[in-house]
Amino acid sequence: MTDLRKTVESYWATADARDWTGFADTLAEDVVYTLPQTRERISGRERYLQFNREYPGDWHVRIERVVAEPGQAVTWTHFTVGLEEMHAITFFTADEQGRIVTVTDFWPEPYEPPAGREHLVERY
């Protein structure tokens, strides 16, 4: 099996570079992209490529962390769109050829902590 860590790193690098041919090379033909928070799903490489090509804004992505084992990986990424910054956690699985077959994205929203624990934490 191909090293999924390298495939995932290529997935993010080609997406950031808008290299849609290279991006497509990381994906299985029957890739499924899922966004649980919005309950959306995209099936198939062509539809997923179109989704990414048409995504608005001049966004850029930086990998913060990759955790991988045979057949599955997860990334923590940092996105910027203009002055806006956000983080995403993405789970990947691969087929036998090492291409990405599932992508599941979580986009956690920042929030203020509850009152009463200020004496225990350090804000950054």
Side-chain angles (χ1 to χ4, degrees):
M1 179 173 275
T2 303
D3 183 357
L4 183 55
R5 173 186 292 272
K6 289 180 183 171
T7 302
V8 166
E9 289 170 346
S10 178
Y11 168 96
W12 287 123
T14 55
D16 188 66
R18 310 307 192 267
D19 171 5
W20 302 123
T21 300
F23 185 77
D25 289 344
T26 69
L27 304 172
E29 186 68 37
D30 59 348
V31 66
V32 176
Y33 176 63
T34 305
L35 293 141
Q37 290 162 297
T38 59
R39 297 180 318 278
E40 295 174 287
R41 181 171 293 136
I42 298 171
S43 298
R45 181 170 41 204
E46 288 309 312
R47 289 173 59 97
Y48 188 44
L49 282 168
Q50 182 177 351
F51 174 83
N52 281 281
R53 279 189 199 109
E54 294 178 4
Y55 201 86
D58 184 26
W59 57 269
H60 292 280
V61 61
R62 178 182 74 237
I63 297 173
E64 296 288 337
R65 183 175 298 164
V66 178
V67 178
E69 60 182 45
Q72 60 184 352
V74 63
T75 60
W76 167 20
T77 50
H78 177 263
F79 281 81
T80 57
V81 183
L83 297 177
E84 186 179 10
E85 296 185 29
M86 57 198 111
H87 293 270
I89 299 168
T90 308
F91 293 85
F92 300 88
T93 61
D95 62 15
E96 290 299 316
Q97 290 73 41
R99 288 181 303 238
I100 296 167
V101 71
T102 66
V103 181
T104 305
D105 256 347
F106 291 91
W107 294 86
E109 293 284 332
Y111 62 93
E112 290 301 310
R117 59 187 188 196
E118 298 83 6
H119 65 290
L120 300 171
V121 302
E122 174 185 332
R123 295 295 302 272
Y124 63 93

